[in-house]
Amino acid sequence: MRLRIKFQFKEKLNVPVHHQELLHGLIYHCIGDDEFRDRLHNYGFPYEKRQFRMFCFSKLMGVHQFENGRIIFSSPVSFLFSSFHDRLVSELATTLFAKKELYIGHNRVTMAGIEVVDEKPSSVMHVRMITPVTMYSTLIENNRKKTYYYSPSEDKFSELIANNARKKYEAIYGNPAPESSLELVPLDLQKLRPKTVLFKGTIIKGWMGDFRLTGHPELLRIVHDVGIGAKCSNGMGLFTVVRDLNETKPQ
């Protein structure tokens, strides 16, 4: 399920350009059940040595201007939150409405509303990244670990995206993923834009732009709900469906 969460505030809201960490903290703060929150944060949904948190979110959206490396928003603002986990969505929405005031960083805000975003993936679709999509491998070079971020121009990029989706499926359901694969291909490679995100002191390199996304319906539903690629719970991998490419044009 995907939510658009809206806040209002007096005067201005002042946040860093890379404010994903603030929203990440707000999300966890608004999980009312301590045991559920700790389990999600510390363990998530394990798959071999990996742990998936199974949610993704956007940056803040609204009228704004840039000032000294920060973003100054006018009221109201909103952000998107998406997860397959009904309990997580329910915990978040319930707590947000229950609290009289909330904080995004040092900025005090109040709830202005929550809207369910009704968007359904199809088997072949044109998608647009709302937050950057990233895929990487950890390599050993001169006895030191090095993170290599793949470009969508590399065949390995879509291959690892598909593997990541299958791992998420198996972490959720505990069963083998559907045999049919998933493919994410740029619609126009020249129009993709590299995008760097700073999250808790770590630089994450990703890509913004439009892609053709195809695959098994169950895998597509999962990546639509929890994000596509790596680092989704750190503010990466959220996309919107531009159009269903199965639809035929009228003659």
Side-chain angles (χ1 to χ4, degrees):
M1 181 182 290
R2 184 169 295 185
L3 304 177
R4 183 180 301 277
I5 300 169
K6 190 174 181 180
F7 301 106
Q8 59 192 7
F9 45 89
K10 297 178 180 179
E11 300 178 355
K12 301 293 182 180
L13 188 149
N14 185 324
V15 294
V17 171
H18 299 284
H19 56 268
Q20 290 89 340
E21 184 178 346
L22 300 182
L23 295 178
H24 183 267
L26 175 68
I27 290 165
Y28 275 105
H29 178 70
C30 288
I31 300 174
D33 186 311
D34 293 345
E35 182 181 349
F36 177 64
R37 180 182 63 244
D38 292 345
R39 186 169 68 250
L40 179 67
H41 181 270
N42 296 327
Y43 303 105
F45 292 78
Y47 178 89
E48 296 179 350
K49 295 182 179 180
R50 293 183 179 274
Q51 296 172 336
F52 296 108
R53 269 67 191 184
M54 301 303 185
F55 68 83
C56 59
F57 59 94
S58 72
K59 294 179 69 175
L60 291 172
M61 296 176 282
V63 177
H64 66 277
Q65 62 187 34
F66 293 95
E67 186 176 303
N68 299 323
R70 297 178 69 85
I71 308 179
I72 313 299
F73 284 97
S74 300
S75 184
V77 296
S78 65
F79 79 101
L80 295 172
F81 174 83
S82 187
S83 177
F84 93 99
H85 203 305
D86 290 342
R87 182 178 176 189
L88 174 56
V89 174
S90 176
E91 284 271 346
L92 181 62
T94 300
T95 303
L96 284 169
F97 275 121
K99 288 185 176 290
K100 293 183 178 180
E101 61 180 25
L102 298 152
Y103 284 86
I104 300 176
H106 297 295
N107 303 275
R108 185 168 63 181
V109 300
T110 57
M111 280 297 300
I114 295 179
E115 169 192 350
V116 175
V117 179
D118 185 17
E119 182 177 88
K120 294 179 174 61
S122 64
S123 60
V124 185
M125 51 188 162
H126 170 185
V127 303
R128 179 169 296 146
M129 300 311 304
I130 298 173
T131 62
V133 56
T134 187
M135 206 65 243
Y136 67 93
S137 290
T138 302
L139 310 174
I140 303 297
E141 190 175 280
N142 298 324
N143 294 320
R144 298 180 63 182
K145 287 185 178 181
K146 177 183 177 181
T147 302
Y148 178 82
Y149 289 96
Y150 292 93
S151 164
S153 64
E154 299 176 83
D155 292 340
K156 195 76 171 176
F157 177 84
S158 188
E159 177 187 331
L160 291 175
I161 289 282
N163 289 341
N164 179 273
R166 284 191 288 268
K167 290 173 183 177
K168 287 172 179 172
Y169 179 97
E170 293 177 16
I172 291 171
Y173 296 111
N175 298 317
E179 292 184 7
S180 59
S181 190
L182 178 145
E183 188 176 45
L184 183 70
V185 179
L187 286 175
D188 187 339
L189 192 60
Q190 302 303 316
K191 291 184 178 180
L192 294 186
R193 307 185 311 279
K195 189 75 172 180
T196 299
V197 171
L198 181 65
F199 185 85
K200 295 186 177 181
T202 298
I203 293 174
I204 307 171
K205 298 177 182 178
W207 295 85
M208 298 290 287
D210 290 20
F211 293 82
R212 182 177 186 268
L213 177 59
T214 63
H216 189 281
E218 284 296 307
L219 294 179
L220 292 173
R221 183 180 66 84
I222 285 174
V223 297
H224 181 267
D225 283 350
V226 309
I228 191 164
K231 305 288 187 181
C232 295
S233 64
N234 294 352
M236 308 291 284
L238 176 66
F239 65 86
T240 187
V241 178
V242 177
R243 66 189 181 100
D244 181 353
L245 295 179
N246 284 309
E247 296 176 353
T248 56
K249 296 182 179 179
Q251 299 295 323

